[in-house]
Amino acid sequence: MTRKKQIIVPIVILIAGILLFMAFASMKKPPEEKAKVDNTPIVAVEEISVAPMTLTVDSYGIVTPKYETEIVAQVSGLIVELSDAFVRGGFVEKDQLLARIDPSDYEAALIDAEANLASASAALEQEQAQGKVAEQEWKRITDASPTELSLRKPQLAQELARVKAAEAAVLRAKRNLERTEIRAPYNAMIEDRNIGLGAFVGTGNRVGKLLGTETAEVRLPVADNQLQFLIDQGKEAEVDLVGTYAGIDTTWRAHIARSEGVIDNKSRMSYLVAEIKDPYSLLPANQDAKTPLRFGSYVNANILGLALAQATKLPRYLVVNNQVAVLDDESKLHYVDIEIVRQDGGDVIVSKGLTHGDQLITSALDYPVDGMKLALPGDKSENIDAEENKETDTQIASVKD
């Protein structure tokens, strides 16, 4: 009996221990599985837009009249008439009267010159008649050839010279009389007036200054290396002038009329001259069509140049060794060779290598490798939501079991 107890007791104790171990083991929670960590780099992208593009060259300048004239008196006298438009800022048309100098003395001078001409003409006719009489008398007296003096030819030449001098005096008197009327040589704006009604002016005295309103000019400095982006170095190129009028940004269209053909010694710039027709919109066809472009205005200019069939603009910092990184259809990094046409400040203009809709990578990568797997911020969120939904479905299934 004692021997049986010695055998049974250890067996019972062993079985009891196994049962207790199993009971405790069933009470222990299984270790939680660690979530998988996705180490795929996240990048930001920007969709490329490729479209036709016209290159422009930027410049600036001051609007000036193509023609400006200092008006001076060509005869002396008192100012007896002034036009109401002959004031600073007034607009006048070609041949419009600006001022009138007292014509009395010049009218008298014209009458005197015409009288001298009539007297000289009468003396010439008389001398011609006397010459014919002398020739007839000479033939009646003798058959010998008459001398020049006997035919009164020297006297005739002298009278003819007097007639010509009298005619010249009449022309001079008429011209001086016409000069008593000071008229505008072209359509213009009055910049300055230096005379008043009743003032005396002498020959050569400054009367005023006119600015031609038919055409305005802007000298546009252009760096020599920018001329390559213009057609025929800017000849006849269209220009958009941007300035302000009454506090509002306004654009005027002009064209390059000529190049000055030299490089400025100080600025080392070439100068292109843009012209604007009817800058003050004075013609009937333009009065309601455009805003006046005033002389003295400061304007920025965009000179239209070469036209590219397909091009896009990218930040310059994204370009390395003429390559940019794009995200392909498989969400992998891919380097694309590009052709840069021009650097424009902090950007570059690309004409080849990219297509419309390409995903340009704009964020920095620590160790970029061509072909590496990448992800977008939206892709990460979708993966996390999918994992959470999967775990929820598993827990629900366990509860149902």
Side-chain angles (χ1 to χ4, degrees):
M1 191 69 178
T2 303
R3 185 173 180 81
K4 288 182 179 180
K5 287 182 179 180
Q6 290 178 350
I7 296 173
I8 294 171
V9 170
I11 293 172
V12 173
I13 293 173
L14 180 61
I15 294 171
I18 292 173
L19 293 174
L20 288 173
F21 174 76
M22 292 176 64
F24 285 122
S26 64
M27 295 174 62
K28 184 179 180 181
K29 292 182 180 180
E32 296 180 358
E33 294 183 1
K34 293 184 178 180
K36 293 182 179 179
V37 178
D38 187 359
N39 293 323
T40 305
I42 301 175
V43 293
V45 297
E46 180 179 333
E47 186 172 318
I48 294 294
S49 177
V50 178
M53 180 183 295
T54 300
L55 300 182
T56 61
V57 174
D58 296 335
S59 188
Y60 57 88
I62 304 296
V63 181
T64 59
K66 184 175 183 179
Y67 303 109
E68 52 184 274
T69 304
E70 295 275 357
I71 302 295
V72 298
Q74 294 179 282
V75 294
S76 60
L78 292 177
I79 301 297
V80 295
E81 183 180 348
L82 285 177
S83 170
D84 293 337
F86 192 27
V87 292
R88 186 177 179 87
F91 292 98
V92 294
E93 297 181 354
K94 183 179 180 179
D95 294 328
Q96 182 175 340
L97 179 67
L98 303 179
R100 189 190 304 275
I101 297 173
D102 186 3
S104 302
D105 291 341
Y106 301 99
E107 290 173 346
L110 176 59
I111 294 173
D112 184 54
E114 290 174 341
N116 291 335
L117 175 59
S119 176
S121 298
L124 176 62
E125 291 179 0
Q126 183 178 358
E127 190 60 42
Q128 289 174 339
Q130 290 178 354
K132 290 179 180 180
V133 171
E135 184 178 3
Q136 293 173 357
E137 289 180 351
W138 184 269
K139 289 180 179 180
R140 184 170 55 85
I141 296 174
T142 179
D143 292 334
S145 299
T147 63
E148 296 287 327
L149 184 60
S150 61
L151 296 179
R152 301 184 63 85
K153 287 187 176 180
Q155 293 88 337
L156 181 63
Q158 183 177 9
E159 295 300 329
L160 183 60
R162 287 177 180 174
V163 169
K164 290 183 177 179
E167 289 176 344
V170 170
L171 291 176
R172 187 162 43 249
K174 287 182 177 180
R175 186 174 63 247
N176 287 338
L177 181 60
E178 291 174 355
R179 288 173 175 174
T180 60
E181 296 181 348
I182 301 174
R183 296 182 177 273
Y186 45 72
N187 295 342
M189 182 181 73
I190 309 300
E191 185 188 53
D192 194 13
R193 192 189 77 186
N194 300 97
I195 58 173
L197 193 63
F200 181 85
V201 293
T203 302
N205 286 162
R206 187 174 182 271
V207 173
K209 185 175 181 180
L210 304 183
L211 306 177
T213 57
E214 293 181 356
T215 307
E217 289 186 341
V218 184
R219 294 179 72 238
L220 303 174
V222 177
D224 191 65
N225 61 359
Q226 295 295 304
L227 293 176
Q228 61 182 311
F229 304 118
L230 300 177
I231 300 174
D232 197 13
Q233 297 186 350
K235 185 178 180 180
E236 298 298 329
E238 295 295 322
V239 184
D240 287 331
L241 302 177
V242 181
T244 58
Y245 181 84
I248 300 174
D249 290 339
T250 309
T251 301
W252 296 269
R253 178 54 64 95
H255 74 280
I256 299 298
R258 67 183 186 278
S259 169
E260 293 188 352
V262 297
I263 296 179
D264 187 80
N265 291 331
K266 296 181 180 179
S267 65
R268 306 310 301 168
M269 293 279 193
S270 299
Y271 279 86
L272 302 178
V273 180
E275 287 189 356
I276 310 96
K277 299 296 182 182
D278 190 23
Y280 278 84
S281 302
L282 299 176
L283 297 178
N286 295 332
Q287 286 180 353
D288 299 327
K290 63 180 183 177
T291 304
L293 178 58
R294 296 167 293 186
F295 297 140
S297 299
Y298 177 87
V299 292
N300 292 307
N302 298 317
I303 307 173
L304 304 184
L306 299 174
L308 304 179
Q310 297 292 323
T312 186
K313 183 180 288 188
L314 306 177
R316 187 167 58 181
Y317 69 87
L318 296 178
V319 181
V320 179
N321 296 327
N322 287 337
Q323 290 184 328
V324 293
V326 298
L327 188 67
D328 62 15
D329 296 336
E330 298 178 356
S331 296
K332 292 182 180 180
L333 183 146
H334 179 56
Y335 284 103
V336 177
D337 294 323
I338 60 174
E339 182 176 324
I340 298 175
V341 177
R342 179 186 183 186
Q343 292 190 2
D344 186 12
D347 299 323
V348 293
I349 297 175
V350 178
S351 62
K352 294 181 181 179
L354 296 172
T355 59
H356 190 77
D358 282 347
Q359 300 289 323
L360 177 68
I361 298 175
T362 58
S363 56
L365 292 170
D366 293 334
Y367 303 102
V369 178
D370 197 346
M372 69 184 296
K373 188 72 174 177
L374 301 174
L376 299 175
D379 297 340
K380 284 278 190 175
S381 300
E382 291 175 1
N383 292 337
I384 293 173
D385 292 341
E387 290 293 334
E388 291 178 352
N389 292 336
K390 184 177 180 181
E391 292 178 1
T392 304
D393 293 341
T394 301
Q395 293 173 1
I396 293 173
S398 299
V399 171
K400 286 183 179 180
D401 291 341

